[in-house]
Amino acid sequence: METLVESSNEEQAENEVEQAGEADDVLAVCDFLSSPPLPESYRCNSVEEVRLLAIADNFQRQYSLLCPERKSLLLCPINECGVQKFVSTTLRPTMTSHPELLNWEGCASFVADFLSLNPLEPPGELPRFLFSATSVLRSQTATCFEYASVLCSLLLGANYDAYCVSGYASKEMCLLDQRLQECPLLDTQEKAAASDLPVDSEPAVRFQREPKSRFLTQQAKKKQEETDAKAKKQEELVYDLHDIKLWEPILFGVTSKRQLSINLLKRKEMKMMGMTWEDEEEEEDRVFEMPRSWVSSISISQQDLETRWPGGKKLTRYKKAELERFAPYLRMDGLVTRLNIYKDMDCTEVVTVKDWYKDRNDHLKERVLDKLTGITTERFTPGRHFHLLFHKFTSAQTDGNEHDMEFSGARVDGLVRRVDTPGEMTESFEGREDFLYYRQVIFDSNVQLPKEAVPEERPLLKVLERFHRNPNKDANDDVAERVFVASQRRIEVKYHLEEHRFVPCMRTFIKPRDSSDHQHKAEDFRPDMVSGFHVDPAKKPLHTLALYDLLSDLVKAEKDVALQIMSSKKEVQDIMVCREQEETDILLHFSPWTTTGAAKARNLREEMERVATEEQRWLQENENDFLAPFLNRLCDIEIVRADDAQRLYNDCLTEFKERMVAQARLIQEHHKQATQALQKIQEHYQEDQQNMSHQEEKEYQAHCAQHTSQIHIAQKRLSMHKRSAAQRYRALDQRLKQDPRLAPYLLSRTHTHNI
C-alpha cells in the first residue's frame, strides 16, 4: 500500500498539519499553554513523520473506499500542541525503576488510580485529540484512549507484548460508573467473615430432586450445540497480527517482531555453522522506515506513587457503598481508606462506616462503626499500651457499656481476651504458670451503686475459674474448676478427671463467719462444713487440719481473685480514658523512606541545626559577659528594672562568695587528707620500726616526704586563695557598679562584705 503514495498525498498531509493549528484546535489544548515548554518533537513533525502521515491518509482513504459501512480509523489524532501525529508513535515504551511497575498488575493499578476519566464527547465517536503520556501524567486527566496509551507504554517498557485496541462497551464501563457493582473491598471483608464462621456439623436437609425429562434435555443440548456451531462459523476476528491474510498493515514490507526473532535465531545458527547470513529483504531497498516515538521518556516519581490519586484522594461509588481512598499522611488522623455502607441504593442512610488507618502513634489500623447498633470495633497493630489488639464496645448512648478486648501474648498475666458487661466479665488466658485459662465473674446487679461510684466497687456474686491439667500433680489433687459463691459463703472445687474414670473428685466448703460479720457471731471451722466425693473409696479421707489448711488456701485465693477482678475493671476504665486522650492528640509516625517522611526529617534536621547555630552564636556573644547566667533568670533579658538590677547585683556577689568559700573548703579538705595520711604512716612506723628492713625504711621516708610536700602545697594554696579572694571580690563589686545595665539603678554607697 506504501507504493501508492504520490507527491500530491504528501502535499495534502502537509496542509493538514498546518490546518491542525487553527483557532479551534488551539482552544482545545489551551490548558497546556501555561505549562513548561514542550520539546520540539511535540510542536512540529520531522520529514519522516510528514511522510508517515501521508501514508496513513492514503490508507484511510482506501479503507473508506473498500469498507464504506465501517467508521473511520484513529490513525492521526492531534496532540496537545495542535499537531497531527501518527497514533502508533504516541506509544513511548519506558522502563521505570519502581519495582511495583515491573508487572502488569502494578501498572494497571497505578494508571487506574493516578488518572481521572475525561469522557469522550460524543461518546460513540473517535476522539480528535490524543495527548502524550507525559502531558496526561502531569494533568492526571485522560480519555479512555489516553488511559490505554499510558498503560501500553508502561507495559511495553516492562517487556510485555502489549497493544491498544479500540471498541465499544456499555455506558457504565465507559463512564466508570460502578454504582451497580458490589464493592470489591466489601466482598473481601464478607468472605473473610464467612470463613471465620464455624462449620455446622449437622447434616443438611436433603430436598427431593425435581424430575426432568432426558429427551427434553438431549434436545436442548443438541439445539445449543447447533447454535454454538453457527456462531463459530460467523466468527470475524483472530488476533494474529502477523497473518497478513487477516490483517492489513499500514506500512507494507516492514519486518514483524516475530520475523525479527526468527531471523535472529537463524543468524545464530548460521554463525555457529560458520556460514554467512544473507538476508534478501535487507538487499532490497526499503521504501520507508518507521520513525521513533515523538513522546519524551515517561517519568514517574516516588511522590507520584505515594500520592497515587488526583489531589491525593479518590471517591468511588458502588452498589450501596462509597469507597474513599487517601494518600498516606494526607489526613492528620492517618486515614487512608474509608468504606461507607448504605441501606438504600441512593446512598442516603449510612449503615456501617469502616476506616483503615496507617502510621498512627496509637497503633490504630482499623475502625468499624455500626450506626444501627452503636457498636464500634477497633483493631490495633502490636506494640501499643496494655498490649491491646482488638476492642469492641458500645456507645455511651446505649444502656450499659459493653467491652470485648483481645490482647497480644506479651502480657505478663497471660490475658488474651476480656469481655466486660455491666453484670458479667469473662477473661481468657494463655501460658500462665498456674495453668489458669478461663475466669467468669458475675456481679450482683440487685445492688444499686451511687452515681459517683466506680465500676470495680460492684459486689461479686459468683466467680468461676478453670485450669489446664498440671502434669506434675495427681489428677485427684489437680484443680480443674473452682467456684467462689460470695453470697452463700461457699467454695466449690472440682478436680481433673483421672484416666479410666468417668466422674472427677469434688469438694464443697462453707466458709465460717469471721469477726467482721456484725450480724452473726464468729464461727469456728467444723468438719461438717466440708462435703465432697472421691472416686476412690479405698483412699483415706483428709483429716480436719488438712481440710482447714485447704480451706485457708482457698479463702486467700478468693481474696487475691477479688483484687485481680478490681484491677481488671479498673484497667477497662484506664483503656477507655487512654483512648479518649489518644483521639484528642493524634500523631503520625513519618517513615523516612517516603517523600513526606523524608521532607519532615529534613525540616526537623534543619530546625535542629538552626537552633544549635543560634545557641552557638549566643554563647560566643555572651562568652565574656559575667551577667549572662543571671540575666537568663529574668522574664525579659532586654529590659532591666531597678529591683531587677539590685537583685542581680546581690545575687552575683553572693554566688561569687559561695564559690570562693567552696574552693577554700576543698583546699582544706585536701590538707586534712594529706595530714591524716602522714599521721597513719608515722603510727605504723612507730609500731613496726624494729622489724623494718632497709628497703621499707626508704619507702617510709619517701611517703613521708610526699605527704609533707602535699601539706605544704595545700597550706600555701589556702593562704594565696584568701588573699586573692578579697581582691577579686572588690574587683567584681567595682565592675558591677560600672556595668551600664546596672549602674543607673545601684546606690552610690559602698557595700562591704566579709569573706
Side-chain angles (χ1 to χ4, degrees), residues 602-615:
R602 182 171 57 255
N603 295 337
L604 180 60
R605 184 179 67 254
E606 293 176 354
E607 180 65 18
M608 294 174 63
E609 293 176 353
R610 184 187 64 80
V611 172
T613 303
E614 291 182 357
E615 291 181 355

Side-chain angles (χ1 to χ4, degrees), residues 493-504:
V493 180
K494 182 186 295 185
Y495 297 90
H496 278 281
L497 188 65
E498 198 176 20
E499 291 184 5
H500 310 295
R501 298 286 185 179
F502 299 97
V503 180

Side-chain angles (χ1 to χ4, degrees), residues 266-282:
K266 288 184 177 180
R267 285 194 184 94
K268 291 182 178 179
E269 293 177 358
M270 299 284 286
K271 187 175 182 180
M272 293 177 62
M273 297 173 63
M275 301 175 63
T276 304
W277 169 261
E278 296 181 359
D279 192 352
E280 299 179 356
E281 295 183 358
E282 292 181 355

Side-chain angles (χ1 to χ4, degrees), residues 722-739:
K722 290 181 178 179
R723 291 195 302 268
S724 64
Q727 298 175 0
R728 293 169 62 188
Y729 185 87
R730 288 191 294 269
L732 176 62
D733 179 73
Q734 190 66 23
R735 188 176 180 183
L736 289 172
K737 292 178 180 179
Q738 296 177 357
D739 191 277

Side-chain angles (χ1 to χ4, degrees), residues 143-393:
T143 62
C144 55
F145 285 84
E146 292 163 348
Y147 263 94
S149 64
V150 174
L151 178 58
C152 191
S153 298
L154 293 177
L155 293 176
L156 290 173
N159 203 26
Y160 283 95
D161 190 16
Y163 301 89
C164 293
V165 180
S166 65
Y168 296 91
S170 62
K171 179 181 179 181
E172 290 77 15
M173 180 175 291
C174 294
L175 298 179
L176 278 182
D177 187 359
Q178 306 179 67
R179 289 177 295 180
L180 297 180
Q181 301 179 12
E182 296 289 344
C183 178
L185 188 60
L186 178 62
D187 183 58
T188 303
Q189 296 293 319
E190 289 178 349
K191 288 182 179 178
S195 62
D196 295 337
L197 294 177
V199 180
D200 192 0
S201 59
E202 301 234 348
V205 180
R206 296 185 178 180
F207 296 95
Q208 187 177 3
R209 205 168 40 172
E210 182 181 358
K212 294 183 179 180
S213 173
R214 293 184 179 179
F215 175 75
L216 295 178
T217 304
Q218 293 177 357
Q219 292 297 321
K221 183 178 179 181
K222 184 177 180 181
K223 185 176 181 180
Q224 182 65 32
E225 291 176 353
E226 293 177 354
T227 304
D228 294 342
K230 185 177 180 181
K232 189 174 182 180
K233 290 181 179 180
Q234 296 177 354
E235 186 176 7
E236 300 179 298
L237 195 57
V238 178
Y239 284 99
D240 184 6
L241 305 182
H242 306 285
D243 189 353
I244 60 175
K245 297 180 179 179
L246 300 177
W247 294 87
E248 183 71 21
I250 294 181
L251 299 179
F252 186 78
V254 176
T255 306
S256 65
K257 189 175 182 180
R258 178 188 297 176
Q259 188 62 38
L260 289 174
S261 301
I262 296 175
N263 293 344
L264 180 61
L265 293 176
K266 288 184 177 180
R267 285 194 184 94
K268 291 182 178 179
E269 293 177 358
M270 299 284 286
K271 187 175 182 180
M272 293 177 62
M273 297 173 63
M275 301 175 63
T276 304
W277 169 261
E278 296 181 359
D279 192 352
E280 299 179 356
E281 295 183 358
E282 292 181 355
E283 296 176 359
E284 299 179 359
D285 294 334
R286 297 271 176 89
V287 179
F288 184 75
E289 184 177 355
M290 184 75 170
R292 298 176 62 87
S293 175
W294 55 274
V295 181
S296 302
S297 179
I298 300 175
S299 176
I300 300 176
S301 64
Q302 181 65 29
Q303 185 175 4
D304 292 336
L305 291 176
E306 295 173 5
T307 306
R308 199 70 177 182
W309 303 281
K313 56 184 177 181
K314 189 172 185 179
L315 172 63
T316 307
R317 291 182 173 86
Y318 295 96
K319 181 180 180 181
K320 295 185 180 181
E322 287 183 351
L323 181 61
E324 297 180 80
R325 290 174 289 182
F326 306 91
Y329 312 118
L330 180 67
R331 291 176 57 107
M332 297 307 299
D333 58 354
L335 182 65
V336 293
T337 305
R338 169 168 290 172
L339 177 62
N340 295 320
I341 304 174
Y342 294 89
K343 185 177 181 180
D344 55 341
M345 293 292 294
D346 296 333
C347 297
T348 57
E349 183 179 354
V350 181
V351 176
T352 306
V353 179
K354 296 184 179 182
D355 294 337
W356 286 265
Y357 300 88
K358 190 177 181 182
D359 296 329
R360 282 177 54 130
N361 63 332
D362 58 359
H363 294 261
L364 179 65
K365 68 174 183 179
E366 181 182 341
R367 177 187 288 142
V368 180
L369 174 59
D370 193 328
K371 295 283 189 177
L372 300 180
T373 60
I375 297 178
T376 303
T377 304
E378 296 179 336
R379 298 183 185 273
F380 305 87
T381 56
R384 63 159 285 110
H385 300 301
F386 306 100
H387 302 281
L388 185 65
L389 295 179
F390 173 86
H391 187 196
K392 183 178 181 181
F393 58 95

